[in-house]
Amino acid sequence: MISMLTMLLYLGLILEHRTKIQAGHLPRPIIWAEPGSMIAIYTSVTIWCQGSWEAQKYHLYKEGNVDPWDIQLPLETRNKAKFNIRYMTTTYADTYKCYYESAAGFSEHSDAMELVMTGAYTNPSLSVWPSSDVISGVSIAFKCSSSMGFGRFILIQDGKDSFPWTLDSQRHDNQSFHATFVLDTVTPNHNGTFRCYGSFRNEPHLWSKSSDPLILMVSETKNQSPTHTEDGLTTYQKILTGVLVSFLLLLLLLLLLILIRYRYSCKKKATQRDANLQVTSGVPETTYRDRLHQKSSSPDATINEKHLYDSVKNTHSEDNGELDSWSPSDKDPHGIVYAQVKPSRLRKDTTSWRPKETQVVTYAQFCSRTQEYDNH
């Protein structure tokens, strides 16, 4: 009896050891989610677990639970199974692992997968310093901020969702909660679209809505040392620019001088023309008086001048004109008669319907000068 019990115990130990050895050779399963591990609220998601051809059942394990959260039979390919979540809610936001069961035993657990639900809170804001368009090698800083009291912020680059960057939030002087993500040396590999999210420490799988996307453009470093050819070209351009500017200034100065000379010439001509008109209008009177002065100052005779004035007005003439005349005395045979011409206007006053017409008329005044000769 004792020997039989000892034999059974021995056989059990042998079988357990063989099972452990066989289980150690089973491939470790892989877990992932489609369309991704970040799922917007109320959208569907599928969790996949891929193991061995020997798998008979797949178990989905939710961290924090003792029993499997779900069990699925393998698909026709038998090396994987899927777990469907029709609507993503806070219940499904958690950390998952999977393993499978075969005739040889149970496989190891897969790596942990974080299934995150986004859209639980309002979105934060994202900015970058010094600019979103920089050259390779510089340092930049992303700042994610929100008025909500998020315990942490997550920065993610599109296409690299599996590598989020998480920092605890900070707050200074009653400002908004924020976190600063610093990249010491950027390269063209950082080109892409960035977004940030906020979450609370006690609910790390519930994230806020995404911030507005921020596109980062990193260009290659440009060679700052120009060649000799570039130096010569730059110098030539500077010289050419200086020559052109000097030529334009000289041209403007020449045009200004021509304009000043033209205006001075016009002014001089106008002044000369006015002077000629004055001289022309004053010549007869001056010449006549000079002749009278010459005659009156003759030493051979004594000239007695006598002005006779006879004003004749015809105020009732047809042409309504005025005429002043002087006639010499009949007793003076040597009288000199002169005339002064004055302009006047004739007005025709009719009773007809035509408007009044005005005509310029010139009349003359005659004067006589008598020369008296001394007989002695």
Side-chain angles (χ1 to χ4, degrees), residues 48-49 67 81 109 237-238 243:
W48 290 89
C49 185
D67 298 327
H109 287 186
Q237 290 177 349
K238 291 181 179 179
V243 171

Side-chain angles (χ1 to χ4, degrees), residues 183-364:
L183 293 176
D184 293 328
T185 304
V186 294
T187 65
N189 293 330
H190 292 101
N191 286 336
T193 302
F194 289 81
R195 307 171 191 268
C196 78
Y197 301 83
S199 69
F200 294 97
R201 290 187 177 92
N202 59 342
E203 296 178 339
H205 298 95
L206 300 180
W207 291 4
S208 67
K209 295 180 180 179
S210 168
S211 66
D212 292 335
L214 191 151
I215 300 176
L216 180 65
M217 295 294 296
V218 181
S219 58
E220 294 288 348
T221 305
K222 296 181 180 179
N223 187 9
Q224 301 297 329
S225 57
T227 61
H228 296 290
T229 304
E230 293 176 348
D231 288 339
L233 182 60
T234 303
T235 304
Y236 174 76
Q237 290 177 349
K238 291 181 179 179
I239 294 175
L240 182 60
T241 303
V243 171
L244 291 176
V245 172
S246 301
F247 176 76
L248 290 177
L249 290 177
L250 290 175
L251 182 61
L252 290 176
L253 181 60
L254 180 61
L255 292 176
L256 181 62
L257 291 176
I258 293 174
L259 179 62
I260 293 174
R261 181 178 179 84
Y262 175 76
R263 294 186 63 181
Y264 175 76
S265 177
C266 292
K267 186 176 181 181
K268 186 177 180 181
K269 289 181 180 179
T271 304
Q272 187 175 1
R273 184 170 59 253
D274 294 341
N276 293 335
L277 291 176
Q278 293 178 1
V279 171
T280 303
S281 61
V283 165
E285 183 178 359
T286 303
T287 305
Y288 177 74
R289 290 183 179 180
D290 290 344
R291 278 188 281 172
L292 288 179
H293 179 69
Q294 291 175 3
K295 291 180 180 181
S296 62
S297 60
S298 176
D300 298 332
T302 301
I303 302 175
N304 294 325
E305 294 182 351
K306 180 181 180 182
H307 296 276
L308 300 177
Y309 175 77
D310 185 10
S311 176
V312 180
K313 294 183 179 181
N314 185 12
T315 58
H316 302 286
S317 64
E318 181 181 359
D319 296 334
N320 196 18
E322 294 183 359
L323 180 64
D324 293 340
S325 62
W326 293 265
S327 61
S329 175
D330 295 338
K331 297 179 180 181
D332 186 7
H334 301 285
I336 298 174
V337 180
Y338 71 93
Q340 181 177 358
V341 182
K342 295 183 179 180
S344 180
R345 296 177 181 270
L346 293 180
R347 298 179 181 177
K348 295 182 180 181
D349 188 6
T350 62
T351 58
S352 62
W353 59 271
R354 295 183 179 179
K356 294 182 180 181
E357 298 181 358
T358 303
Q359 181 177 2
V360 179
V361 177
T362 304
Y363 66 92

Side-chain angles (χ1 to χ4, degrees), residues 18-213:
R18 183 180 297 177
T19 303
K20 288 183 179 180
I21 293 176
Q22 291 177 352
H25 291 283
L26 293 175
R28 187 177 184 181
I30 302 172
I31 188 172
W32 74 93
E34 288 183 354
S37 59
M38 296 170 50
I39 306 300
I41 188 172
Y42 303 133
T43 58
S44 61
V45 59
T46 301
I47 300 177
W48 290 89
C49 185
Q50 182 176 350
S52 172
W53 295 95
E54 301 175 4
Q56 297 175 352
K57 293 180 181 179
Y58 284 89
H59 300 259
L60 184 63
Y61 177 77
K62 192 175 182 181
E63 194 173 72
N65 295 339
V66 177
D67 298 327
W69 182 73
D70 194 5
I71 300 175
Q72 292 290 334
L73 297 176
L75 299 177
E76 295 179 357
T77 56
R78 300 193 62 84
N79 65 334
K80 59 183 178 181
K82 65 177 183 179
F83 303 86
N84 294 320
I85 299 176
R86 189 172 182 182
Y87 298 106
M88 184 66 182
T89 60
T90 57
T91 304
Y92 304 108
D94 212 322
T95 303
Y96 292 87
K97 294 180 181 181
C98 74
Y99 60 94
Y100 60 92
E101 178 184 353
S102 67
F106 296 96
S107 68
E108 298 181 16
H109 287 186
S110 66
D111 294 331
M113 183 195 69
E114 304 288 340
L115 187 62
V116 175
M117 186 192 78
T118 62
Y121 316 106
T122 57
N123 60 316
S125 62
L126 179 63
S127 60
V128 63
W129 184 92
S131 173
S132 60
D133 189 359
V134 295
I135 61 174
S136 180
V138 302
S139 177
I140 64 173
F142 293 97
K143 183 178 180 181
C144 189
S145 59
S146 175
S147 59
M148 297 188 66
F150 291 130
R152 62 187 63 181
F153 289 96
I154 304 96
L155 180 66
I156 290 180
Q157 183 178 5
D158 287 359
K160 300 179 181 180
D161 299 347
S162 57
F163 301 99
W165 191 356
T166 304
L167 287 178
D168 292 337
S169 64
Q170 298 178 357
R171 190 183 188 189
H172 301 288
D173 300 331
N174 295 326
Q175 295 180 355
S176 60
F177 293 86
H178 67 276
T180 303
F181 303 86
V182 179
L183 293 176
D184 293 328
T185 304
V186 294
T187 65
N189 293 330
H190 292 101
N191 286 336
T193 302
F194 289 81
R195 307 171 191 268
C196 78
Y197 301 83
S199 69
F200 294 97
R201 290 187 177 92
N202 59 342
E203 296 178 339
H205 298 95
L206 300 180
W207 291 4
S208 67
K209 295 180 180 179
S210 168
S211 66
D212 292 335

Side-chain angles (χ1 to χ4, degrees), residues 8-25:
L8 291 174
L9 181 61
Y10 177 75
L11 290 175
L13 292 174
I14 293 175
L15 291 174
E16 183 179 2
H17 179 69
R18 183 180 297 177
T19 303
K20 288 183 179 180
I21 293 176
Q22 291 177 352
H25 291 283

